[in-house]
Amino acid sequence: MLDNLQKARSLSVADICRLYGVSRDTARRDIVKLTEQGAAIRTHGGIALPDIKNQILAYRERLQAYSEEKIQIGAKALSLIKDNGCYFFNASTTISCMVRQMKVSANIFTQSLDVAELLSGDAQSSVHLFGGTFHQRNRFSFPSTASNKSNGYTLMPLSWCCRTNR
């Protein structure tokens, strides 16, 4: 059954009955066994492969994955950072790789504990850390109520911010 599940990515109870010539009750018992073993997840009317590839890894695990590429992307992204600019840096591991290479003075807003720590020794930049509920596994905080304004700054999507009242 696992071979067919690997090929199809999901099987319905009817598929299992047809493929193996078993009753619906037998198909359901087999589904229960596979889900208990962690080989499959239950879906409405059948089973599917657990999508391990799309699970979000913890921050420290992600930091190790594709490190060379992240360093290169970070270096390229630095060309977009202007001296004395104002930016929001998210909790991305690629942003962390960029921050490690940063040599410009800027106003940085972040909810990432790691970004704030990396910039804490940088006397050129001012760092503003957003508070909220701390997500330990991914090392960032998030507000309990969504707010897009803080101290005269407006947060913009895609990791950028700009000052609203100069």
Side-chain angles (χ1 to χ4, degrees), residues 78 80-87 89 99 101-109 119 122-128 160 166:
L78 280 173
L80 301 172
I81 305 299
K82 305 296 183 217
D83 206 27
N84 296 316
C86 178
Y87 304 95
F89 291 163
V99 167
Q101 304 171 70
M102 198 165 111
K103 304 262 189 282
V104 298
S105 174
N107 292 305
I108 307 300
F109 288 79
L119 290 170
D122 180 4
Q124 296 180 43
S125 295
S126 64
V127 180
H128 308 271
W160 299 96
R166 281 206 190 248

Side-chain angles (χ1 to χ4, degrees), residues 62 65-81 89-90 92-102 159-160:
R62 287 184 287 126
Y66 310 108
S67 290
E68 275 304 311
E69 291 88 345
K70 289 178 184 189
I71 291 168
Q72 291 172 2
I73 293 168
K76 181 74 173 168
L78 280 173
S79 68
L80 301 172
I81 305 299
F89 291 163
N90 66 15
S92 157
T93 55
T94 304
I95 294 290
S96 292
C97 289
M98 179 191 74
V99 167
R100 282 184 175 90
Q101 304 171 70
M102 198 165 111
S159 303
W160 299 96

Side-chain angles (χ1 to χ4, degrees), residues 23 31 39 90 101 108 119 130 136 142-144 158:
S23 69
I31 288 172
N90 66 15
Q101 304 171 70
I108 307 300
L119 290 170
F130 289 111
Q136 292 173 326
F142 55 94
S144 44
L158 301 175

Side-chain angles (χ1 to χ4, degrees), residues 106-166:
N107 292 305
I108 307 300
F109 288 79
T110 186
Q111 86 280 27
S112 167
L113 183 62
D114 293 285
V115 168
E117 184 179 348
L118 288 167
L119 290 170
S120 66
D122 180 4
Q124 296 180 43
S125 295
S126 64
V127 180
H128 308 271
L129 186 61
F130 289 111
T133 304
F134 186 63
H135 190 281
Q136 292 173 326
R137 182 170 159 86
N138 288 309
R139 303 182 53 75
F140 69 91
S141 62
F142 55 94
S144 44
T145 58
S147 172
N148 64 350
K149 289 196 178 228
S150 179
N151 297 331
Y153 291 88
T154 301
L155 296 184
M156 304 303 284
L158 301 175
S159 303
W160 299 96
C161 79
C162 61
R163 185 139 189 188
T164 56
N165 53 355
R166 281 206 190 248

Side-chain angles (χ1 to χ4, degrees), residues 16-90:
I16 295 168
C17 292
R18 183 180 43 77
L19 286 168
Y20 302 104
V22 296
S23 69
R24 293 180 73 73
D25 288 337
T26 300
R28 287 191 184 108
R29 281 192 296 274
D30 289 343
I31 288 172
V32 168
K33 285 180 187 173
L34 288 173
T35 57
E36 285 174 351
Q37 295 169 357
I41 57 170
R42 271 194 110 122
T43 62
H44 183 70
I47 57 174
L49 286 176
D51 202 357
I52 294 170
K53 291 178 191 166
N54 289 332
Q55 288 181 357
I56 296 175
L57 299 174
Y59 178 87
R60 291 179 186 206
E61 294 166 355
R62 287 184 287 126
L63 195 54
Q64 300 305 313
Y66 310 108
S67 290
E68 275 304 311
E69 291 88 345
K70 289 178 184 189
I71 291 168
Q72 291 172 2
I73 293 168
K76 181 74 173 168
L78 280 173
S79 68
L80 301 172
I81 305 299
K82 305 296 183 217
D83 206 27
N84 296 316
C86 178
Y87 304 95
F88 173 75
F89 291 163
N90 66 15

